[in-house]
């Protein structure tokens, strides 16, 4: 009976050890996250192996970008509404509709430009390799912006 | 037995009276064994099975197999949990991208 208990204790230890070893191998870069940030920012920290200082600066940049993003969002909504209204009310293409479409394209360009500037600024705060990987992750979203 | 038989053994058998006496402890012994059987609880049964399994599993061959199985189960569970975490990571990536994209916020 004593030998069985020893076997069970050894089995339990090995099982738990195997679980944590396997988990650690798969998530070797995991780190403790401060809980006062949003989940996506904590994900960014883990994904791009940010130091505390990098994380603080990038979080600040993220907060600075938010008002720009909200302003652009309002412009998109306004532009889309205008284009929709003019399409419904116009029998054909007219200068006003052309101008509305141009305004929509301008908003799209401004959104891409603002995001690209933010992405470059954030990438400069990261380590060189991680910064390049960050730009690669973001580039498709910038290219596809407004077409999804 | 033939009624007309003159076998002398017949007379001997007629006179024979068995004089066997049961032991005075016989009855007490029977009752003691009954009491022991009744006292055999499920725990006793379980304990006996446990000892049998103990004898079997602590053989080196079976013990090695048990330990190997436990290691595989532990590693397998970790893989399952990691897969769930990876899915969650993709969702968080999408949330991050959406948090920067004014168009995705227009749709939400």
């Amino acid at each position: 009976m004593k030998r069985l208990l020893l076997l069970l204790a050894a089995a339990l230890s090995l099982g738990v050890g195997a679980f944590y070893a396997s988990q650690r191998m798969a998530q070797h870069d995991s780190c403790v996250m401060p809980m006062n940030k949003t989940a996506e920012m904590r994900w960014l920290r883990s994904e791009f192996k940010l130091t505390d200082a990098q994380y603080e600066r990038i979080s600040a940049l993220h907060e600075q970008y938010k008002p720009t993003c909200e302003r652009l969002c309002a412009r998109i909504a306004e532009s889309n509404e205008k284009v929709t209204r003019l399409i419904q009310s116009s029998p054909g293409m007219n200068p006003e509709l052309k101008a509305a479409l141009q305004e929509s394209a301008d908003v799209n360009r401004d959104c891409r430009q603002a995001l690209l500037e933010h992405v470059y600024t954030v990438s400069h705060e990261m380590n060189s390799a991680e910064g390049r990987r960050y730009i690669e992750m973001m580039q498709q979203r910038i290219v596809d912006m407004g077409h999804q | 037995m033939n009624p007309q038989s003159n076998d002398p053994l017949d007379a001997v058998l007629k006179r024979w009276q068995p004089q066997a006496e049961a032991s005075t402890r016989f009855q007490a012994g029977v009752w003691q064994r009954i009491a022991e059987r009744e006292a055999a609880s499920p725990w006793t049964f379980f304990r006996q099975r446990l000892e049998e399994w103990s004898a079997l599993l602590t053989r080196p061959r079976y013990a090695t197999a048990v330990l190997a199985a436990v290691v595989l189960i532990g590693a397998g569970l970790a893989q399952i949990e990691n897969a769930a975490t990876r899915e969650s990571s993709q969702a968080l990536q999408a949330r991050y991208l959406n948090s920067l994209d004014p168009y995705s916020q227009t749709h939400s």
Side-chain angles (χ1 to χ4, degrees):
Chain A
M1 185 70 82
K2 191 177 175 184
R3 291 177 70 189
L4 180 66
L5 289 175
L6 281 173
L7 175 68
L8 291 177
L12 188 67
S13 305
L14 277 175
V16 171
F19 179 84
Y20 283 108
S22 181
Q23 196 178 45
R24 194 158 178 81
M25 277 191 286
Q27 301 175 328
H28 60 92
D29 59 339
S30 64
C31 55
V32 178
M33 306 292 175
M35 295 306 292
N36 58 342
K37 300 288 185 184
T38 57
E40 58 267 28
M41 289 307 290
R42 282 184 271 130
W43 168 83
L44 189 77
R45 177 182 183 154
S46 171
E47 180 67 24
F48 293 96
K49 305 174 182 64
L50 303 179
T51 64
D52 288 350
Q54 287 173 326
Y55 181 57
E56 288 305 317
R57 287 196 296 271
I58 289 171
S59 293
L61 288 170
H62 190 79
E63 290 302 312
Q64 283 172 22
Y65 173 76
K66 269 184 183 175
T68 306
C69 188
E70 285 166 7
R71 198 169 54 248
L72 289 168
C73 177
R75 281 182 63 194
I76 293 164
E78 189 182 340
S79 172
N80 285 348
E81 188 187 334
K82 189 175 182 182
V83 170
T84 305
R85 183 165 38 82
L86 287 173
I87 290 171
Q88 287 171 348
S89 63
S90 305
M93 186 59 83
N94 59 46
E96 198 181 4
L97 186 50
K98 275 185 183 176
L101 290 172
Q102 184 58 53
E103 169 62 15
S104 179
D106 291 346
V107 172
N108 183 263
R109 183 202 57 221
D110 291 349
C111 287
R112 286 175 164 180
Q113 191 174 319
L115 180 55
L116 192 53
E117 282 171 5
H118 176 71
V119 166
Y120 279 133
T121 311
V122 168
S123 73
H124 290 150
E125 295 294 340
M126 296 178 173
N127 298 338
S128 171
E130 295 301 332
R132 279 197 300 275
R133 197 162 67 83
Y134 177 73
I135 292 172
E136 281 172 19
M137 180 188 82
M138 296 302 299
Q139 68 187 13
Q140 197 59 47
R141 175 60 73 109
I142 294 167
V143 169
D144 292 341
M145 190 176 272
H147 303 292
Q148 292 172 320
Chain B
M1 190 188 310
N2 186 351
Q4 282 133 17
S5 169
N6 291 324
D7 192 338
L9 189 58
D10 291 343
V12 173
L13 285 173
K14 277 182 183 170
R15 285 199 304 275
W16 179 63
Q17 293 290 325
Q19 307 237 326
E21 279 185 22
S23 163
T24 52
R25 295 192 50 78
F26 177 76
Q27 198 171 14
V30 169
W31 283 112
Q32 187 181 353
R33 286 172 63 188
I34 291 170
E36 283 173 1
R37 288 281 174 90
E38 286 177 351
S41 63
W43 166 245
T44 309
F45 175 81
F46 174 72
R47 192 186 172 91
Q48 284 169 351
R49 297 292 86 74
L50 199 64
E51 281 169 0
E52 287 169 13
W53 277 98
S54 175
L56 185 72
L57 291 177
T58 51
R59 289 180 195 167
R61 186 189 300 175
Y62 290 108
T64 307
V66 167
L67 294 178
V70 167
V71 167
L72 287 175
I73 289 169
L77 287 175
Q79 290 302 314
I80 291 168
E81 209 220 315
N82 287 335
T85 308
R86 276 195 293 276
E87 285 175 17
S88 163
S89 175
Q90 286 175 352
L92 288 170
Q93 180 183 357
R95 273 175 66 174
Y96 177 75
L97 291 169
N98 289 340
S99 76
L100 298 176
D101 185 349
Y103 281 92
S104 70
Q105 293 178 27
T106 310
H107 300 311
S108 61

